[in-house]
Amino acid sequence: MGKVTGFMEIARQTGTQRPPEERIRDFDEFHLPLPLEEQQAQGARCMDCGVPFCQSGMMIGGMASGCPLHNLIPEWNDLVYQGRWELALQRLMATNRFPEFTSRVCPALCEAACTCGMAAGAPVSVRENEHAIIEYGYASGAMRPVPPPVHTGKKVAVVGAGPAGLAAADLLNRRGHTVTVYDREDRPGGLLMYGIPNMKLDKSVIERRISLMEAEGIRFVLGADVGGSLPAREVLESADAVVLCCGAKQPRDLPVPGREAAGIHFAVDYLTSVTRSLLDSRFADGRAISAAGKQVLVVGGGDTGNDCVGTAIRQGCAGVVQLEMMPCPPQTRTADNSWPEWPRVCKTDYGQQEAIALFGQDPRLYQTTVKEFLCREDGSVSGAVIARLESRVDESTGRRVMVPTGEEFTLDCDLVLIAAGFTGCQPYVADAFGVELTGRGTVATGAPYTTGVPSVFACGDMRRGQSLVVWALREGQEAAAAVDRYLMGYTNL
């Protein structure tokens, strides 16, 4: 390591965030990076730990520990400290082809598993080091188109332009195959584009990368609903292999009385409408589902629920409440959740921070769910009957489940956003290609990433189920190697 005692001499330092009161006035990214010189010093905190759990990507305690992409983190941290930014970029891109995405939206599994965090109490700022490397790459011109020098004559169709599809397309194109990416939306990116709000991931970041991929020879066909308006047969006949990467976009519903009331929307539809209107017209078209002046109820406590909170606040909601079925996690690790497991602790994300700053209280109500929606005479939602829950052991399965306590109360609301997760892929694409689905609503695959239909592969959330962007990238990369082996008899990906 460039500075063996760096972790003892240099304190962890991260970029700042614009104050909540300021950032809620716009949809711009609110995280402000450190100056390059200060970020460079942070690379010295990476210690010669011997066993770098940060890059392990292991499953421990049923959850991922370390980076699923097996990023060479100690290597490029050292190069950052030495100021050898172009070499750091090369080492980063060797394992992660899309660090501009992960450095913004990944929950940093690497930092949770960082040995320095266990030993010194503060992990290395891996994600921000990664962000500095890739942004240096774009600013310096090192991130430039590199078309494949040789073409194989093989054609691959990638259905879905989300992170898994982009990762698969990128590697297959580098290998020399002719790649066409189909997506039913008007912009590529999948949930990166329309599922993650602009303040977390500015859409110019996606557009910048898509332009680079197009310059390298990848063709994007947008507005192409494969399995719908575009028959699957046409895609199969146009390519030697097909990769299905359509995500897990079947939202989990809330089948309770009053669900049909106007003003109740799935979170993904709400977030999509807001981002699309922002990009199309800066909201001048009036097509975004609006929370302005409304009491908003968000059902679901994950990242998507938090994004709904932050978005509703930016639209000028009158108030927001977020329901969480599970109990509030502890503030610190418990004895049965030791390092390097993922820390199951309470996290107050940007949306909740903004709600606290604006309304004076945390929007989350733990151990609650909706029992019934209440409606006005015009059919619009006016409130919800909320049931309190408690954790009990199901005697038939031995598992803990959340069950009603019998205590109920009513909340007023004018807009309800259901962010209860997803139940798998939308089945019409799988049906169109004749591939089977599992009981979880995902595409059934063998090893590696093969479906029951010759030449058709599947990866990402469509195969794995709802997960993180970093897992989608890994699946796309591994599926690309499987497709390459199918086409060429071997692979060097």
Side-chain angles (χ1 to χ4, degrees):
M1 306 304 294
K3 190 171 181 61
V4 177
T5 57
F7 72 98
M8 295 186 289
E9 299 172 8
I10 301 172
R12 174 183 166 97
Q13 187 179 5
T14 60
T16 58
Q17 294 183 353
R18 291 193 291 145
E21 298 84 354
E22 173 189 319
R23 69 192 193 221
I24 62 175
R25 301 188 189 123
D26 57 55
F27 282 79
D28 298 336
E29 286 190 1
F30 55 83
H31 190 86
L32 307 175
L34 290 172
L36 210 58
E37 298 77 13
E38 295 181 26
Q39 197 70 60
Q40 187 170 324
Q42 290 298 303
R45 298 192 66 248
C46 192
M47 58 196 296
D48 190 8
C49 61
V51 181
F53 281 95
C54 59
Q55 64 187 48
S56 64
M58 300 168 60
M59 297 300 293
I60 303 177
M63 301 184 75
S65 175
C67 180
L69 292 172
H70 307 305
N71 282 335
L72 306 172
I73 294 168
E75 295 185 31
W76 47 256
N77 273 337
D78 185 44
L79 291 168
V80 164
Y81 169 62
Q82 295 180 43
R84 304 171 73 181
W85 291 96
E86 192 147 346
L87 280 176
L89 178 65
Q90 292 176 17
R91 298 310 284 157
L92 173 58
M93 294 290 289
T95 53
N96 182 3
R97 299 286 299 169
F98 297 91
E100 62 265 53
F101 302 153
T102 53
S103 65
R104 286 172 165 85
V105 302
C106 183
L109 305 176
C110 50
E111 294 188 20
C114 175
T115 306
C116 186
M118 180 274 295
V124 176
S125 55
V126 179
R127 186 170 65 179
E128 293 200 9
N129 292 353
E130 178 182 356
H131 183 270
I133 293 170
I134 186 60
E135 291 306 317
Y136 165 85
Y138 279 105
S140 67
M143 288 295 294
R144 55 185 177 271
V146 183
V150 178
H151 287 85
T152 64
K154 303 292 186 180
K155 298 179 181 179
V156 181
V158 176
V159 183
L166 295 179
D170 175 68
L171 286 187
L172 290 167
N173 181 68
R174 289 180 68 204
R175 181 68 167 90
H177 305 312
T178 300
V179 180
T180 301
V181 181
Y182 298 88
D183 198 278
R184 69 184 181 185
E185 297 290 354
D186 57 341
R187 295 178 176 90
L191 288 182
L192 291 172
M193 178 61 71
Y194 286 129
I196 298 176
N198 202 70
M199 54 274 194
K200 281 176 68 174
L201 175 60
D202 192 283
K203 305 315 167 187
S204 64
V205 175
I206 304 172
E207 292 164 352
R208 178 179 66 181
R209 174 48 76 105
I210 296 300
S211 295
L212 194 64
M213 296 176 73
E214 289 178 325
E216 292 177 333
I218 298 173
R219 177 172 171 248
F220 288 88
V221 181
L222 303 176
D225 188 10
V226 177
S229 59
L230 178 59
R233 174 181 50 80
E234 290 187 20
V235 175
L236 282 167
E237 291 175 352
S238 69
D240 299 294
V242 175
V243 190
L244 302 181
C245 321
C246 301
K249 296 181 179 179
Q250 190 71 31
R252 180 177 285 109
D253 208 345
L254 199 59
V256 298
R259 169 62 180 86
E260 71 284 353
I264 302 176
H265 305 272
F266 288 118
V268 67
D269 296 334
Y270 169 65
L271 295 173
T272 296
S273 77
V274 173
T275 299
R276 194 189 303 278
S277 182
L278 170 66
L279 297 178
D280 286 349
S281 67
R282 300 295 300 180
F283 301 123
D285 59 15
R287 298 176 64 184
I289 298 170
S290 179
K294 297 178 180 178
Q295 293 290 340
V296 179
L297 177 63
V298 178
V299 184
D303 287 342
T304 302
N306 172 70
D307 290 338
C308 288
V309 172
T311 301
I313 287 174
R314 281 162 177 76
Q315 289 184 312
C317 67
V320 60
V321 173
Q322 184 180 12
L323 303 185
E324 297 236 22
M325 287 189 65
M326 303 305 293
C328 180
Q331 296 298 315
T332 58
R333 288 182 184 267
T334 58
D336 62 350
N337 180 216
S338 59
W339 178 89
E341 289 183 0
W342 173 257
R344 296 188 289 272
V345 297
C346 185
K347 173 186 176 185
T348 300
D349 213 329
Y350 77 96
Q352 288 115 21
Q353 294 169 2
E354 292 161 1
I356 292 169
L358 188 63
F359 301 117
Q361 61 184 24
D362 195 311
R364 291 170 289 189
L365 297 179
Y366 292 96
Q367 296 182 234
T368 55
T369 192
V370 175
K371 179 182 179 182
E372 179 184 358
F373 290 114
L374 306 176
C375 306
R376 300 184 178 92
E377 290 185 2
D378 64 1
S380 63
V381 65
S382 64
V385 178
I386 309 300
R388 295 279 187 187
L389 304 174
E390 65 180 2
S391 176
R392 294 180 187 169
V393 176
D394 186 332
E395 295 182 358
S396 62
T397 64
R399 293 185 174 184
R400 284 203 164 271
V401 294
M402 301 302 294
V403 297
T405 64
E407 181 185 353
E408 299 174 357
F409 60 96
T410 301
L411 284 175
D412 293 334
C413 56
D414 310 297
L415 176 65
V416 177
L417 305 172
I418 300 175
F422 298 86
T423 59
C425 67
Q426 294 174 320
Y428 75 93
V429 178
D431 292 344
F433 282 92
V435 301
E436 295 183 4
L437 297 179
T438 68
R440 297 174 55 240
T442 56
V443 172
T445 56
Y449 299 92
T450 56
T451 69
V453 179
S455 80
V456 178
F457 298 75
C459 67
D461 288 3
M462 190 173 190
R463 186 196 78 90
R464 179 185 177 85
Q466 181 188 7
S467 191
L468 302 174
V469 168
V470 68
W471 278 110
L473 295 178
R474 172 169 164 173
E475 293 245 328
Q477 292 178 2
E478 292 182 345
V483 172
D484 186 44
R485 186 177 293 108
Y486 167 78
L487 294 174
M488 306 301 290
Y490 72 100
T491 185
N492 55 13
L493 294 178

